[in-house]
Amino acid sequence: MIRDVLLAGGVAMAYASQLEIPGAPFGISELLLAVWILISIGRVLAGGRLEATPVLSIFAAFWGIMAFALGLGMIVGMLTSVQYMDAPVHDMIAYLLLAFVTCLLAADPQADRHLRRTAWWVIVIANACFVFQLALGFGLLHQSGVNPWFWDRFTGWSDNPNQLALYCALFGPLALYLSMTTSNMIARTFGIASIVLIVYVGRLTKSDTYLLTIVITGLVFLMLRVRRWVAVGGRVTLGRQISLLLLLALVPLAISATPYVLAETSTVENFAKSLTKGEGGEATAETANLRINIWTNALGKGLGSASLGLGPGPHVDRSVVTKEFIDLPFEAHSTLLDLYTQGGILAVLALLWILGLAAISAWRARLDALVALALSIGIFGFPHLVIRHPIVWFSITLCLVAGQPKFIAATAGARSR
């Protein structure tokens, strides 16, 4: 139980970059994850059993490919343009931490039980933290050193509203999955109420990527549900009728929202505007051009390395951002482009491979909410850098394990209880 709570805290609070440990070079999330890793390793050394599962093989292959791609990229980078080592070391530590977490989770003989229990704790901790942050945001409480607003965009404990929006985008499908796979009415009610709170906080961030993510994944989820009900057949239940009505109601809602989304993203420039807010939440041509220049520079850096990458860390020219010649690099703020500049095309293909496997595993397990979870990672990761966030890898692990017979049986048991 303690291990599950520690892991859940490390996953659920990783966005809280405004909460610092005095005098420490790491945050609360990193501390909790490191303690969880030490306890897990200690359990193995004390006689605990590990299991060579198919999911462990997938993660071993993925992180092996990533290590090779990033190592090769670092060699290319050090021979050409990389001069600063602080950022690469930060990224290498983050990747190492995530590799330990995913592999230890996958090798746990009771991964199904621990993942499900941890997922519930993630939602509980997220809800409690969101309520506290909302109290801060609306002036009911005060916390020294924390500014919960960036102009009119809610950031909570995060430095960046888009960071908080990412966690809301993944907490929602996770809570939906938990509420759908339990027969306990109290737990189901709590899960549904959690979705309402999560969506509310997500909209306060005013992230257009978040809006686009929940609209697309919501439609995909409901279509998957209707498809499965049609395929299975059988008697018409109240739950099916309500869900079908929700689908029919969401379709015109999505159609009515389409002009708004298309107006924001119809061109590369408008898409960049929708991702970079200016003062008061309004995008400007200057910030849109900045985003385009960053992406273009990142693509050029990757191509310039012969698609081998330049190693961990940011590689966009700082002069693109500051309009001054400064050697210190900048991130591309796009998972695919940042990974392309770090590990080249091999690292990008490895990420697409494991994310695709996660979605397929959830599909085979007939867990539509987890399919939506994997889809949310893909949508949000396109215009934002998400690969270093623990919630992303916890979600991928959950989806991969979901395709295992043991996990499917455990989920069925949870439904029947």
Side-chain angles (χ1 to χ4, degrees):
M1 178 68 76
I2 295 177
R3 289 174 59 223
D4 297 334
V5 175
L6 285 172
L7 179 59
V11 169
M13 297 184 63
Y15 65 89
S17 49
Q18 291 193 58
L19 300 183
E20 298 180 350
I21 301 176
F26 47 81
I28 294 177
S29 174
E30 291 85 352
L31 177 62
L32 293 176
L33 292 177
V35 172
W36 180 86
I37 291 172
L38 291 176
I39 292 177
S40 299
I41 294 176
R43 183 187 67 84
V44 174
L45 294 177
R49 189 168 62 91
L50 294 180
E51 187 174 311
T53 63
V55 177
L56 177 60
S57 301
I58 292 172
F59 275 121
F62 171 76
W63 290 115
I65 294 171
M66 285 288 290
F68 174 78
L70 293 173
L72 181 61
M74 176 169 284
I75 293 174
V76 174
M78 295 183 70
L79 292 176
T80 54
S81 61
V82 174
Q83 301 178 25
Y84 296 91
M85 291 302 297
D86 288 344
V89 170
H90 174 270
D91 275 10
M92 285 189 288
I93 293 175
Y95 291 144
L96 186 63
L97 191 70
L98 294 170
F100 267 109
V101 170
T102 52
C103 290
L104 285 171
L105 270 175
D108 193 326
Q110 297 181 330
D112 52 344
R113 182 166 62 90
H114 286 297
L115 276 169
R116 184 173 179 82
R117 192 159 60 187
T118 300
W120 274 114
W121 276 111
V122 166
I123 299 303
V124 169
I125 294 172
N127 283 347
C129 291
F130 282 169
V131 170
F132 186 84
Q133 290 168 77
L134 287 173
L136 290 176
F138 291 105
L140 301 178
L141 296 174
H142 174 73
Q143 185 176 7
S144 177
V146 174
N147 182 8
W149 295 96
F150 178 76
W151 297 103
D152 62 343
R153 302 182 67 188
F154 187 67
T155 61
W157 285 333
S158 177
D159 285 324
N160 189 322
N162 290 324
Q163 213 173 38
L164 179 60
L166 165 66
Y167 280 76
C168 291
L170 301 188
F171 286 155
L174 185 59
L176 179 62
Y177 154 72
L178 292 172
S179 62
M180 289 181 61
T181 55
T182 180
S183 60
N184 187 307
M185 289 304 299
I186 296 177
R188 180 172 296 177
T189 302
F190 172 76
I192 295 173
S194 299
I195 297 173
V196 176
L197 176 62
I198 291 165
V199 171
Y200 177 68
V201 173
R203 289 304 297 138
L204 284 179
T205 66
K206 296 192 176 180
S207 167
D208 293 317
T209 309
Y210 175 76
L211 176 61
L212 186 64
T213 300
I214 62 173
V215 168
I216 293 177
T217 56
L219 279 173
V220 169
F221 169 76
L222 287 175
M223 289 177 181
L224 287 175
R225 297 304 299 169
V226 170
R227 178 185 179 277
R228 294 195 190 282
W229 289 334
V230 170
V232 172
R235 65 187 182 89
V236 178
T237 64
L238 178 62
R240 292 188 181 187
Q241 290 177 333
I242 293 174
S243 297
L244 184 57
L245 288 174
L246 287 174
L247 176 60
L248 294 175
L250 190 58
V251 170
L253 177 63
I255 294 174
S256 64
T258 299
Y260 167 75
V261 176
L262 291 180
E264 294 274 343
T265 61
S266 58
T267 66
V268 174
E269 181 178 359
N270 286 335
F271 181 62
K273 285 182 180 180
S274 70
L275 301 174
T276 313
K277 305 289 187 187
E279 180 176 346
E282 296 180 357
T284 64
E286 181 180 357
T287 54
N289 291 332
L290 176 60
R291 176 75 69 161
I292 295 171
N293 290 338
I294 290 174
W295 290 342
T296 303
N297 189 269
L299 184 60
K301 289 284 185 178
L303 293 173
S305 68
S307 294
L308 296 176
L310 298 169
H315 297 288
V316 173
D317 292 332
R318 177 69 65 165
S319 57
V320 175
V321 182
T322 63
K323 297 183 180 179
E324 299 175 359
F325 182 74
I326 302 176
D327 289 338
L328 192 65
F330 196 75
E331 291 177 341
H333 295 280
S334 170
T335 300
L336 294 180
L337 287 176
D338 272 305
L339 203 55
Y340 183 53
T341 61
Q342 293 182 15
I345 191 65
L346 183 59
V348 172
L349 292 176
L351 180 64
L352 294 176
W353 168 68
I354 197 169
L355 186 57
L357 281 181
I360 292 172
S361 296
W363 170 273
R364 289 175 176 171
R366 298 183 177 182
L367 297 171
D368 298 331
L370 291 187
V371 176
L373 181 61
L375 182 60
S376 297
I377 296 173
I379 296 173
F380 213 101
F382 180 76
H384 297 287
L385 179 58
V386 304
I387 194 174
R388 293 194 303 254
H389 291 278
I391 184 63
V392 170
W393 293 103
F394 178 81
S395 301
I396 290 176
T397 305
L398 183 61
C399 291
L400 287 172
V401 174
Q404 305 304 306
K406 184 178 179 181
F407 188 92
I408 296 173
T411 303
R415 286 172 174 165
S416 63
R417 285 194 294 273

